[in-house]
Amino acid sequence: MRSLMLISDWNFIRHEDYYFVPSLLKKTNARQDKTFMKDAIQCVFDFSSSFLPNGIFERLICICVEHSGRLQGAGRGRLQNTRELQVPILAQGFASLWFGEKLHVCLRMSEDMTHI
């Protein structure tokens, strides 16, 4: 499942092996999504005249979650200092992640557009 990007390591809990499965995410409130993205610079991919194949967005989130955990040095006792981890906020069609300490990225997929 890992090679197909249907599951990834969840490196945000120390000394434990946990996994992230994007297909198990719960739905979120659209208003909550917009709160995270209101002050951010946005890039919108419009698929209204085409389509985004099923599962592509979920695979992108899977890759981002694993990379975010790796950049923060989290999981399995690898955290070098006591700073707080920036744990991703995830829901079906939405992700708010940190890549390092300063880069915050939100991804949201609506019916015909993907916002990054």
Side-chain angles (χ1 to χ4, degrees), residues 12 33 35-45 57 60-61 63-65 67-68 71-72 86-91 93-109 114-116:
F12 299 94
D33 296 353
T35 301
F36 282 103
M37 300 179 83
K38 73 176 185 178
D39 295 327
I41 296 171
Q42 293 189 26
C43 174
V44 178
F45 296 97
F57 185 80
L60 175 63
I61 299 302
I63 292 168
C64 290
V65 164
H67 188 63
S68 175
L71 284 176
Q72 293 190 63
Q86 299 285 3
V87 178
I89 299 165
L90 303 164
F94 176 78
S96 176
L97 309 113
W98 288 261
F99 296 112
E101 294 181 27
K102 298 182 181 182
L103 180 58
H104 180 220
V105 176
C106 291
L107 297 106
R108 181 172 60 94
M109 186 172 76
T114 301
H115 301 257
I116 297 178

